[in-house]
Amino acid sequence: MAKPILVANWKNHPASLEEAKSLIRELSKAKLVLKKTRLFIAPPLPYFELVSSGARSFAGLASQNMFAHMKGSYTGGITPGILKSFGVRLAIVGHSERRAQGESSEAVSLKVKAALKAGIAPLVCVGEPSRDADGEYFEVLRDEIKASLAGLSKSNVSSVIIAYEPVWAIGKSAKESLAPAELAESVIFIRKVLSDLFGRKAAESVHILYGGSVEYANAGTLARESGISGFLVGHASLNAKQFVAIAKSLTGK
Ligand code: 13P
């Protein structure tokens, strides 16, 4: 069976290089457990070297964002080629915290295509901002998936990974996250949308991860009952003990 995928999105943490070093040291102690997953760490850019050298034996390097253009003069833009040269194999694109700063699904779709061109797997974040009793949020989700994956074909969509991150469930506690049955329903819906867009076979080949207040307390049930391939973890990835426990519940060990 394929290994579950686990992605640590450190966002803009830890607060200093010293703390980041200490987190890597703690994670290294559990490398045998972590190696049972396909683990990626997406640190702030200044910690790239630390993660790529310190976690080389148990984690791949991921980026939290990526520039859509391959070349040109764009101050502050980090191109896919530069990321690739640092060993980045996966790029988070369209995170809701970036969409909240104005990133559109159209911009996300350009980044997805640029990542594929550079040989980086795009981890495309989608998720409804809120839920309503009539289920209209499903339409919001459908539109976001459609626009974010615009221009892809049956053959390259299988290199895309979807991270389902309902915005309302991010940055809370396990208790406030969504229920396993709600996650299972959303995963079925996302696969249906992918199937409508790219055909059933291609849709089945796309990995779907879940993110949004994944902690040790809810990881086991969310993983078991939903059809996901793994997790995209925010705050709990900054606590080595929590994170290793999440890895264990994903691998069932
Ligand atoms: P939390 O796990 O802190 O809710 O963050 C989720 C997330 O945004 C990961 O990308």
Side-chain angles (χ1 to χ4, degrees), residues 220-240:
T221 47
L222 286 172
R224 269 193 303 279
E225 297 165 23
S226 60
I228 52 163
S229 301
F231 292 126
L232 172 56
V233 184
H235 65 269
S237 70
L238 299 164
N239 176 319

Side-chain angles (χ1 to χ4, degrees), residues 9 11 95 97 165 169-172 211-214 232-236:
N9 179 8
K11 304 191 179 182
H95 192 282
E97 289 156 11
E165 296 210 312
I170 292 178
K172 307 251 169 67
S213 300
V214 175
L232 172 56
V233 184
H235 65 269

Side-chain angles (χ1 to χ4, degrees):
M1 228 179 79
K3 284 182 182 180
I5 302 169
L6 186 56
V7 183
N9 179 8
W10 285 4
K11 304 191 179 182
N12 49 316
H13 311 287
S16 68
L17 181 60
E18 278 319 304
E19 287 171 62
K21 280 184 182 165
S22 147
L23 178 54
I24 290 292
R25 266 197 305 275
E26 288 305 307
L27 291 172
S28 304
K29 291 181 193 158
K31 71 168 90 164
L32 292 181
V33 174
L34 297 172
K35 278 167 82 165
K36 291 181 182 150
T37 68
R38 272 171 69 197
L39 171 63
F40 294 90
I41 299 176
L45 287 175
Y47 303 155
F48 259 26
E49 171 58 24
L50 166 71
V51 172
S52 64
S53 58
R56 189 189 306 273
S57 64
F58 62 92
L61 185 62
S63 66
Q64 296 179 12
N65 183 31
M66 205 200 68
F67 200 52
H69 299 280
M70 294 297 194
K71 50 176 170 250
S73 296
Y74 300 98
T75 300
I78 318 279
T79 58
I82 294 176
L83 292 173
K84 186 79 200 246
S85 77
F86 270 78
V88 166
R89 288 157 43 209
L90 179 137
I92 300 173
V93 278
H95 192 282
S96 59
E97 289 156 11
R98 297 203 60 86
R99 290 183 190 263
Q101 292 170 53
E103 186 161 292
S104 66
S105 290
E106 288 66 35
V108 172
S109 81
L110 291 178
K111 292 184 180 187
V112 171
K113 281 176 274 200
L116 290 172
K117 207 165 169 188
I120 294 174
L123 176 57
V124 185
C125 299
V126 294
E128 72 281 1
S130 59
R131 289 202 162 191
D132 58 285
D134 301 330
E136 279 175 21
Y137 60 90
F138 280 123
E139 287 317 305
V140 175
L141 190 54
R142 179 198 301 276
D143 291 347
E144 193 173 68
I145 295 169
K146 224 172 141 178
S148 301
L149 303 183
L152 297 191
S153 64
K154 272 184 199 198
S155 60
N156 60 9
V157 75
S158 54
S159 305
V160 168
I161 304 173
I162 300 280
Y164 173 56
E165 296 210 312
V167 184
W168 55 271
I170 292 178
K172 307 251 169 67
S173 69
K175 272 195 227 124
E176 298 160 282
S177 184
L178 88 177
E182 293 174 317
L183 175 57
E185 187 180 45
S186 292
V187 171
I188 291 169
F189 180 77
I190 291 168
R191 262 200 220 290
K192 169 80 174 79
V193 174
L194 293 172
S195 176
D196 292 346
L197 291 170
F198 303 103
R200 203 165 62 103
K201 205 161 156 232
E204 277 166 9
S205 69
V206 175
H207 290 296
I208 301 175
L209 312 188
Y210 170 71
S213 300
V214 175
E215 295 179 347
Y216 170 60
N218 59 355
T221 47
L222 286 172
R224 269 193 303 279
E225 297 165 23
S226 60
I228 52 163
S229 301
F231 292 126
L232 172 56
V233 184
H235 65 269
S237 70
L238 299 164
N239 176 319
K241 234 169 148 179
Q242 267 272 354
F243 192 62
V244 171
I246 291 170
K248 281 187 183 160
S249 52
L250 257 185
T251 56
K253 303 276 153 50

